[in-house]
Amino acid sequence: MSTTLANTIFTQPLASAAELESKYPLRSLPEGAAVTRFAPSPTGFMHIGNVLGAFVDRLLADQTDGVLYLRLEDTDKKREVADGAAAILSGLNALEISLDEGVDGGAYAPYTQSQRREIYHAFAKQLVEDGLAYPCFCTSEQLEHMRDEQDTAGVNKGYYGQWAKCRCMPEAEQLRRLQAGESYTLRLRSPGDAARKIIVQDMIRGKLELPEYDMDVVLLKADGIPTYHFAHVVDDHLMRTSHVVRGDEWLATLPLHVQLFGLLRFKPPKYAHIAPLMKIDSETGGKRKLSKRKDPEAAVSFFTAQGYPAAALREYLLTLLNSNFEEWRRANPTEDLAKFPFSLKKMSSSGALFDLQKLDDVSKTVISRMTAEEVYAQALAWASEYDAELAALLARDADFATAMFAIDRGGKKPRKDIARWSQVREAYAYFYDCFHENLYSSSGAGWGYGYSDGSGDGSGNDWLKILKNYSEVYSAKDDKETWFEKIKSICEPLGFCSDVKSYKAEPDKWKGHVGDVSSVIRMMVTGRENSPDLWAVMQVLGEDEVLRRLKG
């Protein structure tokens, strides 16, 4: 026991380990409930891979009547940014990932590591008392010299074995230097031997056999702030975390974390190490990790700014997490995602390929299943932040906008024209004069947009006649059948066949058919060769606006 050394290092009153165990008791949860945590650093950048892990946390908690809490790991103050916590919450909101506890409150507070300093010191003191931690007085210059020597010797770099100069320092010397006010860090006295193996059962990768960790790592830095390795072990224990979902970059230090749990007499959580998201490199054609520097889609803010619905992101990420999800979705096209039997065991240990085109396809389907009211609400919410002009138009007449979104919605084959809310402006531009006029002006071709019906002398006389004749018979009061009969009625007087089959039987007899006539009307009303149901579009626009466009 090194009580004198511990009391010299930690002079302030600290709670005992037993007192902290009592303050943060075992949770009262159903048998098998998973307690998961999302524990990012507030650096201002949220990687989609981090949020993928949080999504897995939420799925596990939901399936087991468990808990997901947010913990801010802010011990590295050099990397912290002022709005880091806000960026984290925004990233979670992008997938509508709810939290049960976190920085806003909970029974295991505080959930911010910088506010838990005395807790870490209490357990660090315990390690010193147990002879499992010691002060290291090595300077940065001495450590750099040590690394150079290790490099020359061709051995592993780090503070261990013969290289751990302060490990065997007599206690009297330690006390003398502490009392002299020398700067120090607190290091772990590791009992590990790299020649021995540990076995860890990973919930994704199965049985892992890894060498024991033999480095005397820093537990407390010179300023008393804990390192990540030490702090998160203490936090995961006291917050009663049962499952740790994290990236596979932590596999290298898994033996250290398992060792720390054992030395602190804590029960370790179950681990699930997720492979990184991959993409096809445009230059090499090969796979590589989704890069924070190279790929805009690596940032969760990219998806928020583009306007991908949270439901679409969740749906797409499930296709990456479990290979059987798509089959389940085909069999259950309208079922709530919460009903999907998600499984860690069905996650791949190799990196999933992140494909924006597939995300778009998934998102189009998700949006196509929404009601017009849901589309309106979400499009308006997105535009309010990212497209003020569109937001003003949508808000000006909610009934008009909702009717616009209702066209070709519902039924067995709903229209899939948008994948994200940033596409609303272009997809529905022809409903609004300001957008429509801009398209008209930029085309330089008048309301016909340079359209030629391919008949006659190509002078446009035919489409002018079509528009004139149709304007004289059009009425917004007509039902769809009457509306189409009126289009057919103007065909033959202008040399167009009113029936497509008859036209195909004798094409030389006609300039075109009723479909060509409809196309001229469609182009004049919408400025597009393709649009949703034309009758429905004209009903939403109203008779005055339709006639104005038909007459150019």
Side-chain angles (χ1 to χ4, degrees):
M1 296 288 288
S2 301
T3 303
T4 301
L5 180 61
N7 288 335
T8 302
I9 293 173
F10 301 99
T11 57
Q12 76 278 24
L14 294 171
S16 68
E19 288 172 332
L20 289 170
E21 293 285 351
S22 177
K23 182 178 180 180
Y24 300 106
L26 292 173
R27 293 172 179 268
S28 179
L29 293 171
E31 182 73 23
V35 179
T36 63
R37 47 80 158 175
F38 183 48
S41 298
T43 60
F45 182 90
M46 280 294 289
H47 195 288
I48 186 64
N50 296 134
V51 178
L52 176 67
F55 185 36
V56 173
D57 288 327
R58 184 72 266 174
L59 291 169
L60 289 176
D62 288 343
Q63 287 187 340
T64 59
D65 293 325
V67 170
L68 166 61
Y69 69 86
L70 170 66
R71 184 173 74 226
L72 292 182
E73 300 196 334
D74 64 340
T75 57
D76 188 350
K77 292 299 181 181
K78 293 180 181 179
R79 298 176 61 234
E80 185 177 348
V81 298
D83 59 349
I88 289 167
L89 294 174
S90 177
L92 294 174
N93 287 337
L95 267 78
E96 294 180 354
I97 297 174
S98 61
L99 299 166
D100 302 306
E101 302 169 7
V103 292
D104 290 333
Y108 294 79
Y111 293 87
T112 301
Q113 287 187 332
S114 61
Q115 300 172 14
R116 298 172 63 84
R117 182 186 179 105
E118 292 184 356
I119 294 174
Y120 307 129
H121 283 204
F123 285 100
K125 182 178 182 180
Q126 175 187 295
L127 290 175
V128 175
E129 290 174 341
D130 292 344
L132 294 170
Y134 62 91
C136 173
F137 301 94
C138 291
T139 65
S140 57
E141 291 78 16
Q142 289 173 317
L143 294 174
E144 184 62 33
H145 180 66
M146 176 195 74
R147 286 188 286 269
D148 290 340
E149 288 184 325
Q150 290 172 333
D151 194 41
T152 301
V155 298
N156 289 337
K157 292 182 181 180
Y159 204 84
Y160 66 101
Q162 70 183 79
W163 308 99
K165 302 298 183 183
C166 294
R167 180 185 175 104
C168 298
M169 183 181 292
E171 184 171 307
E173 177 66 6
Q174 292 173 326
L175 292 172
R176 183 191 69 78
R177 298 181 72 165
L178 287 169
Q179 290 164 354
E182 289 191 35
S183 179
Y184 68 93
T185 59
L186 191 71
R187 286 187 181 272
L188 174 71
R189 181 177 276 112
S190 174
D193 183 343
R196 297 195 298 259
K197 301 289 185 180
I198 65 167
I199 293 176
V200 180
Q201 195 71 25
D202 187 273
M203 298 190 73
I204 295 174
R205 298 163 184 273
K207 181 180 177 182
L208 300 176
E209 190 171 329
L210 305 165
E212 285 186 352
Y213 207 83
D214 64 349
M215 301 285 177
D216 286 7
V217 297
V218 173
L219 301 177
L220 298 180
K221 291 175 272 191
D223 57 6
I225 294 176
T227 58
Y228 163 80
H229 302 295
F230 181 53
H232 95 276
V233 167
V234 172
D235 291 338
D236 280 344
H237 171 69
L238 289 184
M239 293 178 180
R240 308 302 175 177
T241 311
S242 65
H243 293 68
V244 171
V245 178
R246 61 186 186 181
D248 65 2
E249 68 270 18
W250 294 108
L251 281 171
T253 50
L254 177 60
L256 167 61
H257 301 158
V258 170
Q259 184 181 92
L260 283 170
F261 272 101
L263 296 178
L264 288 164
R265 299 189 286 276
F266 298 159
K267 179 183 177 181
K270 296 177 181 179
Y271 286 98
H273 289 88
I274 300 178
L277 293 174
M278 311 291 283
K279 75 171 294 183
I280 299 297
D281 190 282
S282 59
E283 296 180 1
T284 66
K287 284 186 179 181
R288 62 168 174 79
K289 291 182 181 179
L290 202 60
S291 168
K292 176 179 176 179
R293 292 185 299 105
K294 297 180 180 179
D295 307 312
E297 67 269 30
V300 178
S301 57
F302 167 83
F303 302 97
T304 305
Q306 286 292 311
Y308 284 99
L313 285 170
R314 293 162 67 90
E315 188 112 354
Y316 175 64
L317 290 181
L318 272 172
T319 70
L320 303 182
L321 292 173
N322 276 186
S323 59
N324 62 324
F325 172 74
E326 291 182 82
E327 180 181 353
W328 177 87
R329 176 49 86 201
R330 285 193 292 271
N332 305 275
T334 60
E335 191 64 84
D336 191 313
L337 284 186
K339 301 291 182 65
F340 173 66
F342 170 75
S343 172
L344 285 173
K345 294 180 180 179
K346 286 188 168 64
M347 288 181 63
S348 172
S349 59
S350 59
L353 190 63
F354 197 91
D355 183 351
L356 280 175
Q357 182 58 57
K358 185 171 181 180
L359 170 59
D360 279 354
D361 291 341
V362 169
S363 192
K364 285 179 181 179
T365 298
V366 169
I367 292 175
S368 75
R369 290 175 179 152
M370 293 181 180
T371 66
E373 289 75 16
E374 289 172 327
V375 173
Y376 173 75
Q378 293 197 33
L380 177 59
W382 175 86
S384 296
E385 184 172 355
Y386 295 99
D387 188 339
E389 184 182 20
L390 176 61
L393 289 172
L394 294 176
R396 185 179 67 191
D397 189 336
D399 291 339
F400 177 86
T402 303
M404 170 184 81
F405 289 129
I407 297 173
D408 287 351
R409 189 160 296 281
K412 294 183 178 180
K413 293 184 177 181
R415 188 175 182 84
K416 300 178 181 180
D417 51 356
I418 55 173
R420 45 195 186 274
W421 306 128
S422 56
Q423 294 177 338
V424 166
R425 172 188 277 259
E426 194 281 331
Y428 292 89
Y430 53 88
F431 282 97
Y432 294 101
D433 286 349
C434 56
F435 295 161
H436 196 245
E437 293 283 1
N438 287 339
L439 289 174
Y440 165 78
S441 300
S442 63
S443 72
W447 285 118
Y449 297 87
Y451 176 79
S452 171
D453 56 34
S455 63
D457 60 9
S459 65
N461 288 331
D462 283 316
W463 69 260
L464 288 174
K465 293 175 183 177
I466 289 171
L467 298 173
K468 178 180 180 299
N469 287 12
Y470 182 66
S471 297
E472 294 172 355
V473 297
Y474 165 71
S475 172
K477 296 178 181 179
D478 293 336
D479 59 24
K480 190 171 184 179
E481 183 177 352
T482 303
W483 167 83
F484 191 59
E485 286 299 322
K486 286 187 175 180
I487 293 178
K488 291 171 68 175
S489 72
I490 69 169
C491 288
E492 293 192 14
L494 296 175
F496 292 84
C497 185
S498 61
D499 179 72
V500 176
K501 289 184 179 180
S502 298
Y503 169 78
K504 289 181 177 180
E506 300 180 280
D508 295 336
K509 184 179 177 180
W510 309 96
K511 295 178 180 179
H513 55 72
V514 65
D516 299 316
V517 173
S518 296
S519 293
V520 172
I521 298 169
R522 185 185 307 277
M523 283 294 298
M524 202 61 181
V525 172
T526 69
R528 304 181 181 196
E529 294 183 13
N530 295 293
S531 74
D533 181 87
L534 183 56
W535 175 80
V537 168
M538 295 167 75
Q539 290 295 108
V540 172
L541 286 171
E543 186 166 315
D544 290 345
E545 177 62 16
V546 169
L547 289 173
R548 186 182 73 82
R549 294 185 183 191
L550 289 174
K551 295 175 182 179

